[in-house]
Amino acid sequence: MPVPAFGLGTYRLKGQTVIDSVRTALDLGYRAIDTAQIYDNEADVGQAIEESGVARDALYLTTKIWIDNLSKDRLIPSLRESLRKLRTDHVDLTLIHWPSPGGAVPLAESLEALLEARAQGLTGEIGVSNFTIALLEEAIAIAGADSIATNQVEISPYLQNRRLAAFAREQGIHLTSYMTLAYGEVVHDPVLQEIAGRHDATAVQVALAWALQQGFSVIPSSTKRANLESNLAATRLRLGADDLAAIAALDRNARLASPDGIAPQWD
Ligand SMILES: NC(=O)c1ccc[n+]([C@@H]2O[C@H](COP(=O)([O-])OP(=O)(O)OC[C@H]3O[C@@H](n4cnc5c(N)ncnc54)[C@H](OP(=O)(O)O)[C@@H]3O)[C@@H](O)[C@H]2O)c1
């Protein structure tokens, strides 16, 4: 199944906050949810899904394998633990959250374990996250571009990642944009606000529509019902060529997620 264009992010949200966010989102019609082992909220997400009554097969669940679990002896057991917490027998997509720092675990070892997890039915698709062009080339050489359902990377109006996007397009690899809203910063952007004014929309919706129109999936997070609702409505907004050109000019290589000791050498 292709990665859904629109889903719910859950980074930083735990306990009742994430339960409420997921419940509200499902109520509003969200059907894809992005979590990760390191978010320490898989059990909360699992509880929220169960309580919502939405059928498992109507949902698209993504989790991500933390860097401590990338070796062949840990990856599948850790994924099974994620499934237990999520109260399901499979996720739809499992990503390598970050490339193994310093190449401590060879990429081939992790990808082979992921392919094995897929063969066992523990995950529908496999993919990567925070992969650069060089790392994607390596992954393609190991597993083939067809096996990599997405590369989930930071892409916002302020970090447009054009070289990576062009490479991914050329290779037929789908990209998922995380932190599309630059963690809420886009709200205050005068260029996005001006475009929004002409479309009877909001700056946040413009940022989401911009990413969607380039073919990226988006997974904005929110703790507020009104924001969750308006973010989903961005899927109906169509920007014009002038709008897209104005947003292209906002790129300033402003990266928010680059953890020390973990982040790769960015493109
Ligand atoms: N693969 C990775 O390494 C990685 C890294 C980072 C993130 N992610 C994924 O990407 C998801 C999205 O990133 P993110 O959650 O960090 O940031 P984000 O979606 O760019 O921004 C979330 C922030 O924007 C605010 N917001 C959301 N909708 C809004 C609206 N309509 N109006 C005004 N403010 C709004 C939220 O506040 P309110 O709660 O007040 O609405 C929250 O503070 C994460 O949740 C996670 O699932 C993946």
Side-chain angles (χ1 to χ4, degrees):
M1 193 207 255
V3 179
F6 191 92
L8 177 73
T10 64
Y11 179 37
R12 297 184 200 83
L13 311 181
K14 288 187 198 182
Q16 199 56 45
T17 308
V18 78
I19 291 172
D20 290 346
S21 175
V22 171
R23 282 294 303 273
T24 306
L26 292 175
D27 193 40
L28 290 167
Y30 284 61
R31 287 296 177 265
I33 302 170
D34 180 89
T35 180
Q37 293 176 340
I38 197 69
Y39 297 172
D40 193 22
N41 64 12
E42 289 173 311
D44 301 320
V45 170
Q47 181 186 331
I49 291 170
E50 190 168 284
E51 288 173 359
S52 76
V54 176
R56 171 66 188 90
D57 62 7
L59 293 175
Y60 191 95
L61 295 184
T62 299
T63 196
K64 313 185 196 80
I65 305 291
W66 189 239
I67 53 174
D68 294 343
N69 295 327
L70 290 174
S71 64
K72 64 171 182 297
D73 54 327
R74 296 186 77 142
L75 193 144
I76 288 181
S78 81
L79 179 55
R80 286 190 187 279
E81 178 63 10
S82 292
L83 298 180
R84 188 189 64 75
K85 290 178 176 165
L86 286 163
R87 306 187 189 190
T88 184
D89 61 357
H90 73 286
V91 283
D92 297 281
L93 175 63
T94 305
L95 307 178
I96 293 177
H97 201 152
W98 289 86
S100 182
V105 179
L107 182 55
E109 181 174 329
S110 306
L111 283 174
E112 278 156 22
L114 275 180
L115 288 167
E116 174 58 25
R118 189 178 70 179
Q120 289 182 21
L122 305 177
T123 185
E125 305 275 1
I126 71 165
V128 296
S129 177
N130 297 300
F131 270 41
T132 58
I133 293 173
L135 285 158
L136 266 188
E137 280 175 327
E138 213 188 309
I140 292 166
I142 295 162
D146 288 352
S147 288
I148 299 163
T150 198
N151 179 22
Q152 186 182 117
V153 287
E154 183 175 349
I155 295 181
S156 76
Y158 310 129
L159 177 73
Q160 300 193 11
N161 245 321
R162 288 207 187 90
R163 279 187 55 221
L164 175 69
F167 175 79
R169 204 161 281 135
E170 202 180 283
Q171 298 290 322
I173 298 225
H174 174 265
L175 294 183
T176 299
S177 154
Y178 76 65
M179 286 183 164
T180 319
L181 312 181
Y183 196 50
E185 214 179 306
V186 299
V187 173
H188 313 288
D189 191 287
V191 173
L192 299 177
Q193 285 173 346
E194 190 271 328
I195 296 169
R198 284 190 278 106
H199 288 276
D200 195 17
T202 68
V204 164
Q205 289 175 323
V206 169
L208 293 170
W210 164 80
L212 289 167
Q213 272 176 245
Q214 291 173 84
F216 308 143
S217 294
V218 296
I219 44 171
S221 71
S222 177
T223 55
K224 303 194 174 73
R225 186 180 184 97
N227 289 351
L228 288 166
E229 189 166 18
S230 113
N231 294 352
L232 184 58
T235 53
R236 297 194 294 270
L237 173 61
R238 293 300 297 176
L239 301 174
D242 290 359
D243 303 326
L244 297 175
I247 300 169
L250 297 179
D251 195 6
R252 51 175 193 246
N253 201 29
R255 191 180 293 280
L256 296 175
S258 192
D260 287 347
I262 295 180
Q265 192 69 46
W266 298 114
D267 292 306

